[in-house]
Amino acid sequence: MTVQGEGPSLGRRCAFLRLGGCNLSCRWCDTPYTWDWTGRSDTGVAHDPGKELRAVPWREVYEELRAFAVPLVVVSGGEPLNQQKRLLPLVRALRADGCLVEIETNGTVAPSAELIRLGVRFNVSPKLAHAGDPATRRLVPDALRALAEVPGTAFKFVCRGTADLDEVAEIERRYGTSPVWIMPEGRTADDVERRLSALGDETVARGWNLTTRLHVAVWGDRRGV
Ligand code: SF4
């Protein structure tokens, strides 16, 4: 159990479900142990999928999550929508209990009609050029537009400084990625605080929302269990 550290539900108590595998390879990724088996991210560490990944029946996951007795479950990754078919029975059961479900996604995979119908909130984080992948991989127009049409979707952009904000504006203009939340990149409380201060004024002036990375401020780069 933890709190949602980013975006519109910042600070809310929740349970986290982290799925393995990602179709991007952001160089500053803070969860490279979910996908980086060759040491491509900035850490240079090659993680072992044999140690990091395990298949668990959805009912077992459901029981574990419900045992936390929290009103919100956040599904993150990796890229969770790569496994959206397998997620369906779990999300169905959680929603039937009245539990809110948020899915953190990089915006490159469109959600199914069934997932949308279940009333999931999508926290979409399209990646900017500094993440390192080519634009054709990072930005999938049909997926971004489909996510933008889902009620409640929030678009959260990881930024290093105000120089990134024009790129965010261009993505918003092209693909309708509103409402925008600007979030500082950083794996230490100092980095997050410094970048948050630098980004604040211009984010507000542009009519966007601002979010910190609360879990980094509280727990640093420590990995959850
Ligand atoms: S999309 Fe997310 S999980 Fe995948 S590499 Fe980028 S930051 Fe990491």
Side-chain angles (χ1 to χ4, degrees):
M1 184 162 45
T2 183
V3 294
Q4 170 59 293
E6 306 169 354
S9 300
L10 184 92
R12 292 196 64 174
R13 287 174 73 239
C14 66
F16 242 79
L17 172 62
R18 190 171 295 290
L19 303 183
C22 189
N23 55 340
L24 295 185
S25 47
C26 307
R27 57 168 65 110
W28 42 256
C29 179
D30 61 355
T31 56
Y33 52 84
T34 63
W35 61 269
D36 190 0
W37 320 133
T38 56
R40 277 181 297 164
S41 80
D42 277 352
T43 63
V45 177
H47 296 272
D48 177 358
K51 283 192 188 143
E52 301 293 350
L53 305 180
R54 66 189 171 111
V56 185
W58 76 264
R59 193 160 279 285
E60 228 174 272
V61 177
Y62 167 76
E63 276 157 19
E64 212 173 308
L65 290 170
R66 291 309 287 149
F68 290 117
V70 286
L72 171 65
V73 168
V74 178
V75 184
S76 189
E79 174 45 57
L81 289 184
N82 283 340
Q83 304 187 49
Q84 58 178 307
K85 257 195 186 160
R86 274 182 236 146
L87 267 178
L88 265 180
L90 173 67
V91 174
R92 228 180 262 131
L94 291 168
R95 295 295 291 134
D97 291 346
C99 186
L100 297 172
V101 177
E102 295 188 357
I103 294 183
E104 307 279 327
T105 172
N106 60 28
T108 59
V109 183
S112 69
E114 171 71 350
L115 211 46
I116 294 169
R117 196 188 60 73
L118 287 168
V120 169
R121 161 178 270 168
F122 296 97
N123 297 323
V124 186
S125 184
K127 298 301 181 279
L128 304 184
H130 59 57
D133 283 315
T136 46
R137 270 185 84 191
R138 289 183 281 114
L139 302 171
V140 179
D142 287 352
L144 289 172
R145 291 193 181 108
L147 284 157
E149 280 176 15
V150 181
T153 294
F155 289 90
K156 186 177 59 184
F157 291 85
V158 175
C159 293
R160 291 179 153 173
T162 50
D164 293 336
L165 300 182
D166 284 345
E167 200 180 337
V168 175
E170 180 60 14
I171 292 172
E172 184 185 26
R173 189 189 66 75
R174 280 196 190 178
Y175 309 117
T177 53
S178 302
V180 167
W181 295 72
I182 299 297
M183 182 175 81
E185 192 251 315
R187 297 174 68 151
T188 67
D190 282 353
D191 281 350
V192 168
E193 201 182 318
R194 185 171 44 81
R195 288 181 171 144
L196 191 64
S197 302
L199 288 161
D201 284 344
E202 201 171 326
T203 296
V204 174
R206 287 180 185 242
W208 295 332
N209 305 291
L210 187 67
T211 175
T212 187
R213 306 192 71 213
L214 190 60
H215 50 299
V216 175
V218 178
W219 293 291
D221 197 23
R222 187 148 42 98
R223 187 171 162 181
V225 288

